[in-house]
Every structure is written in C-alpha cells, then in structure tokens.
Amino acid sequence: METSTLVVVILFVMALVFIVKTVKVVPQQDAWVVERLGRYHATLGPGLNIVVPFVDRVAYKHVLKEIPLDVPPQVCITRDNTQLQVDGILYFQITDAMRASYGSSNYIAAITQLAQTTLRSVIGKMELDKTFEERDHINTTIVNAIDESAANWGVKVLRYEIKDLTPPKEILHAMQAQITAEREKRALIAASEGRKQEQINIASGEREAAIARSEGEMQASVNRAQGQAAAILAIAEASAEAIRKTASAIREPGGENAVNLKVAEQYVAAFANLAKTNNSIIVPANMSDMSGLIASALQVVKSQKSV
C-alpha cells in the first residue's frame, strides 16, 4: 500500500514537472528564444506556448519595450583643443530577439561603446561654441551611426540625448566673462539707441512746432492781407459811390453853385487853419481866384435866401 502511494506521488511530481517544462507563458511585450539541442529553434511570442521538455530550453528572454540606457560620462576634445566632459542617454528597442541573442555577446555594451566613440568623433570635428549650439545635430549623427551597426544586433536605436556638456572651470569662467561683456555691450547699445531716438524725437517735435508756427504766421499774414485788401476795396467802393453821388448832385439844377460854395468854404477854412498853426501866413499868388470863389459863394447864399 505504501509502495503504490509512493509511486502515485512520484508520477504526480513527474507529470507536474513535465507540464512545467512543456507549457511556457510569455508576458506581453516579451520574446523568448528557444534552443533545441543547443541550436536556435524558435522565438516564443506573448501568450501560451508549448515546447518539448528536456529537448527544448528557453535560452534568452528579451523585453521588447523601449529601454533607456545611460551612456557614462567621457572627456572629448573639440576641434579647438578644448576638453569637454559629455554624458548622455540612449533609447533603444529590441526588434529581432534572435539577432539580439546571437548577433553580439553583449549588445548593451556594444551600443554603449559605439555611442561613446561616435560622440568623440563628432565632438572632435566641432569647435567649443558649436557644441552648445548643435546639440540636435550631434544627437542625430550619433543615432544614425549606431543604428546602422545595431541592425545586425537586432536592436533599433530610437534617439540619443546629451544630458550635460561640461567644459573645464577656466573655460566656464571665460565664457561667463564673455557673456557678461556681451550683456553690458547690449545694454550700452540699447542706452545709446534710446538717447539717439530721444534726440530724434525732440528734433522732430521742434521741426513740427516750427512748421506749425510758420504755417500759423503765414495764415495770419494772409488773413491780414485779405483784411487790408477788403478794407481798401470797401474804401474804394465808398469813394466811388461818393463820387458818383457828387457827380449826380452836380448835374442837378444849382449843383455847380453848391460845389463852388463848398470849395470856397474849405478854401477859407484851410487859410484860417494855416493862420492858427504857423507864425507866417502863406498868401496864394493868384488872389483873384480866391475872391472869385468868395463872390460865387456869396452869390449862392443870396440866391438861397431869395428863394
């Protein structure tokens, strides 16, 4: 009875071991490489897989997810003989599990070494200032160089990113001094440009003010001239109207006598004023004209009285 029980237990254990050796469950985004009698046989994908126990064995297990890989820092020498410590990070993904298993004894170490040597080569072709400006170019060059070789290892290099570019302390101090000088230079240029613009604005304002004053003076002169012209025209029109009325009055009966009377009165008044304002009296050469005017004036007055 005990022997039969022991046999059952042994058979159960053997069956359990057989099942474990036969059934393989591969996780999602994984790939297992199976060898049969020491040779590559198949690559197991995600899910339930059946293998031959004690004949087939899982030799390699690969993760197909994107994997970040730190590239150790290294010292690179630029084109202008400046030492530069550079480190970065590499992102890759296994695309062929069989090549990743047999293409290289250690594809991670191979990728790392290739990234470092390519980085030294790229940095050596560039000057120090360019290394800070051309990060994208450096990253792209390294990815292209590694990806071409990594295809034989079943690996796809997705991207490379430089984390730090660290020059020596002396270079850092010199760069800081240069940056400070450039900022001071830009500040001085900005200040001078501001003063220049201020002077331009002041000159422009003064010019516009002078133009406005001259235009105002010109308009005032035009207005005065127009006013004077209008006054002269009004005086001329009034004089013309007076002359027309005087001429019309002369043509009427007794008009000529009235004119003579008026002239005689003004003539006498003029002599009277001369006598008041001067010490000597100027006597006209032809006194008969004056007596004739007075006689005419008296005649007019008499005729007016008789009427």
Side-chain angles (χ1 to χ4, degrees):
M1 187 68 178
E2 293 179 358
T3 304
S4 61
T5 302
L6 182 60
V7 171
V8 171
V9 172
I10 293 173
L11 290 175
F12 178 76
V13 172
M14 291 179 61
L16 185 61
V17 172
F18 183 83
I19 292 172
V20 171
K21 292 289 186 179
T22 303
V23 178
K24 301 294 182 183
V25 179
V26 180
Q28 182 66 33
Q29 286 295 94
D30 278 20
W32 293 0
V33 175
V34 175
E35 292 180 350
R36 177 168 291 179
L37 300 177
R39 296 183 60 185
Y40 170 77
H41 173 64
T43 301
L44 304 182
L48 183 65
N49 296 273
I50 305 298
V51 298
V52 179
F54 307 105
V55 176
D56 296 341
R57 75 179 185 93
V58 177
Y60 301 96
K61 294 181 179 180
H62 298 287
V63 178
L64 303 182
K65 299 177 183 178
E66 183 176 338
I67 301 173
L69 177 63
D70 281 326
V71 179
Q74 62 175 331
V75 176
C76 302
I77 299 178
T78 62
R79 184 177 178 180
D80 48 357
N81 296 324
T82 302
Q83 291 184 352
L84 191 66
Q85 184 171 330
V86 186
D87 64 342
I89 184 168
L90 185 69
Y91 296 87
F92 71 93
Q93 186 177 22
I94 296 175
T95 57
D96 190 334
M98 189 270 288
R99 288 179 178 271
S101 301
Y102 304 105
S104 174
S105 60
N106 189 341
Y107 62 87
I108 293 179
I111 292 173
T112 303
Q113 292 296 322
L114 187 57
Q116 290 182 318
T117 55
T118 305
L119 179 61
R120 287 196 297 268
S121 176
V122 174
I123 295 294
K125 297 176 182 177
M126 304 174 67
E127 296 181 354
L128 179 61
D129 293 339
K130 290 294 183 180
T131 58
F132 297 98
E133 301 174 2
E134 301 292 340
R135 285 198 177 195
D136 292 338
H137 172 69
I138 296 173
N139 296 337
T140 303
T141 304
I142 293 175
V143 169
N144 294 335
I146 298 175
D147 194 42
E148 183 178 354
S149 299
N152 296 326
W153 306 331
V155 176
K156 173 67 176 177
V157 178
L158 302 176
R159 60 189 180 276
Y160 177 85
E161 296 292 339
I162 295 177
K163 291 194 296 184
D164 289 316
L165 289 170
T166 308
K169 293 182 179 179
E170 296 79 6
I171 301 298
L172 283 176
H173 292 162
M175 293 174 64
Q176 187 63 39
Q178 182 181 3
I179 292 173
T180 302
E182 286 292 333
R183 289 178 178 174
E184 293 176 352
K185 176 183 176 182
R186 288 197 295 267
L188 292 175
I189 292 174
S192 64
E193 289 291 337
R195 290 192 297 270
K196 175 183 176 182
Q197 189 62 42
E198 179 184 4
Q199 295 297 326
I200 291 174
N201 292 338
I202 293 173
S204 178
E206 292 177 351
R207 183 185 64 183
E208 292 178 358
I211 292 173
R213 285 195 299 271
S214 64
E215 290 180 351
E217 293 173 356
M218 181 182 70
Q219 187 63 41
S221 299
V222 171
N223 293 339
R224 285 194 298 269
Q226 290 178 349
Q228 292 174 358
I232 293 172
L233 180 61
I235 293 172
E237 290 179 351
S239 299
E241 182 65 24
I243 292 171
R244 283 194 297 271
K245 289 183 178 181
T246 301
S248 176
I250 291 173
R251 288 193 295 269
E252 293 180 357
E256 184 176 356
N257 294 329
V259 170
N260 292 332
L261 177 61
K262 186 65 175 177
V263 171
E265 289 177 352
Q266 292 179 353
Y267 201 74
V268 172
F271 270 98
N273 290 331
L274 285 174
K276 292 178 181 179
T277 57
N278 294 300
N279 294 326
S280 59
I281 299 175
I282 300 173
V283 180
N286 191 359
M287 295 297 295
S288 61
D289 292 339
M290 181 178 177
S291 60
L293 288 173
I294 294 173
S296 299
L298 293 174
Q299 184 64 34
V300 171
V301 172
K302 290 179 181 180
S303 62
Q304 292 293 329
K305 288 181 178 182
S306 62
V307 175

